[in-house]
Amino acid sequence: AQSVTQPDIHITVSEGASLELRCNYSYGATPYLFWYVQSPGQGLQLLLKYFSGDTLVQGIKGFEAEFKRSQSSFNLRKPSVHWSDAAEYFCAVDQTGNQFYFGTGTSLTVIP
Amino acid sequence: NAGVTQTPKFQVLKTGQSMTLQCAQDMNHNSMYWYRQDPGMGLRLIYYSASEGTTDKGEVPNGYNVSRLNKREFSLRLESAAPSQTSVYFCASRRAGNYGYTFGSGTRLTVV
């Protein structure tokens, strides 16, 4: 079955520290890959997306993600986390062009 | 502002009552989607409409019906609400091609 796995339910980092959120998918071919962020009580906002080409993609708010085909992974990174980055992060894949499949999310807490 | 508008933002229903969640987008997007979000389960697709005049079931369609009223509007109906339908509901839209979704801000529904 197709699936998207975010193995970390919750992560806590100190402000200014680096961040990596993991995402793995299981599909037959390379899907289209996305990361979304959800602030409390809000909808989801697109951070970045990967379709093809350069495997390192840049997004908004200083985030980047790297696609690794051999590992079926699309991990999200940020060199220096800000308190405003505290939110829930969702990885999503789209193989059919018709609908997304979302991971269960990673909740990020940022401590001063 | 352009985007996806959902109404209402909050609703409390009694078991067995019916209601319709409204969604409208003004971006001329072809595809529209209804998701529900539950703790620890990420977002699960209820129904989607790939284009005006078509609707298809997603992962969790039972207990719901949808109507794609026109290109702008896509409504979700609960005919006989159950406590298991307590959730946050998100509407999303996407233009043709492989682009990310634009999400509404959500409807928080409680069924008592």
Side-chain angles (χ1 to χ4, degrees), chain A residues 9 36 40 53 67 77 87:
Chain A
I9 296 174
Y36 282 83
F67 168 60
R77 301 195 295 246

mmCIF file of all heavy atoms in Angstrom, chain A residues 9 36 40 53 67 77 87:
data_model
loop_
_atom_site.group_PDB
_atom_site.id
_atom_site.type_symbol
_atom_site.label_atom_id
_atom_site.label_comp_id
_atom_site.label_asym_id
_atom_site.label_seq_id
_atom_site.Cartn_x
_atom_site.Cartn_y
_atom_site.Cartn_z
ATOM 1 N N ILE A 9 6.952 12.002 15.891
ATOM 2 C CA ILE A 9 5.671 12.620 16.208
ATOM 3 C C ILE A 9 5.884 14.027 16.746
ATOM 4 O O ILE A 9 5.141 14.952 16.432
ATOM 5 C CB ILE A 9 4.915 11.775 17.240
ATOM 6 C CG1 ILE A 9 4.570 10.401 16.637
ATOM 7 C CG2 ILE A 9 3.645 12.483 17.711
ATOM 8 C CD1 ILE A 9 3.960 9.448 17.632
ATOM 9 N N TYR A 36 4.243 20.869 4.008
ATOM 10 C CA TYR A 36 3.322 21.898 4.447
ATOM 11 C C TYR A 36 3.563 22.188 5.918
ATOM 12 O O TYR A 36 3.980 21.319 6.691
ATOM 13 C CB TYR A 36 1.872 21.445 4.282
ATOM 14 C CG TYR A 36 1.347 21.524 2.873
ATOM 15 C CD1 TYR A 36 1.600 20.498 1.962
ATOM 16 C CD2 TYR A 36 0.622 22.628 2.441
ATOM 17 C CE1 TYR A 36 1.129 20.575 0.669
ATOM 18 C CE2 TYR A 36 0.139 22.709 1.146
ATOM 19 C CZ TYR A 36 0.405 21.675 0.270
ATOM 20 O OH TYR A 36 -0.060 21.755 -1.021
ATOM 21 N N PRO A 40 -1.061 26.691 14.788
ATOM 22 C CA PRO A 40 -2.258 26.345 15.571
ATOM 23 C C PRO A 40 -3.497 27.079 15.091
ATOM 24 O O PRO A 40 -3.492 28.307 14.921
ATOM 25 C CB PRO A 40 -1.863 26.763 16.991
ATOM 26 C CG PRO A 40 -0.381 26.648 17.013
ATOM 27 C CD PRO A 40 0.084 27.058 15.648
ATOM 28 N N GLY A 53 14.412 17.303 -11.301
ATOM 29 C CA GLY A 53 15.589 18.162 -11.385
ATOM 30 C C GLY A 53 16.417 18.136 -10.121
ATOM 31 O O GLY A 53 16.576 17.089 -9.479
ATOM 32 N N PHE A 67 15.624 15.533 -1.728
ATOM 33 C CA PHE A 67 15.051 14.286 -2.210
ATOM 34 C C PHE A 67 16.175 13.275 -2.413
ATOM 35 O O PHE A 67 17.156 13.546 -3.114
ATOM 36 C CB PHE A 67 14.315 14.518 -3.526
ATOM 37 C CG PHE A 67 13.923 13.259 -4.246
ATOM 38 C CD1 PHE A 67 13.094 12.337 -3.646
ATOM 39 C CD2 PHE A 67 14.398 12.990 -5.525
ATOM 40 C CE1 PHE A 67 12.726 11.171 -4.301
ATOM 41 C CE2 PHE A 67 14.036 11.833 -6.190
ATOM 42 C CZ PHE A 67 13.206 10.920 -5.574
ATOM 43 N N ARG A 77 14.740 20.604 6.167
ATOM 44 C CA ARG A 77 15.818 21.115 7.014
ATOM 45 C C ARG A 77 15.733 22.629 7.134
ATOM 46 O O ARG A 77 15.204 23.316 6.254
ATOM 47 C CB ARG A 77 17.189 20.735 6.440
ATOM 48 C CG ARG A 77 17.409 19.250 6.295
ATOM 49 C CD ARG A 77 18.863 18.930 6.075
ATOM 50 N NE ARG A 77 19.372 19.464 4.820
ATOM 51 C CZ ARG A 77 19.789 18.724 3.800
ATOM 52 N NH1 ARG A 77 19.736 17.405 3.887
ATOM 53 N NH2 ARG A 77 20.268 19.280 2.718
ATOM 54 N N ALA A 87 5.279 24.779 15.084
ATOM 55 C CA ALA A 87 4.080 24.472 14.304
ATOM 56 C C ALA A 87 4.056 22.970 14.058
ATOM 57 O O ALA A 87 4.906 22.234 14.558
ATOM 58 C CB ALA A 87 4.098 25.222 12.969
#
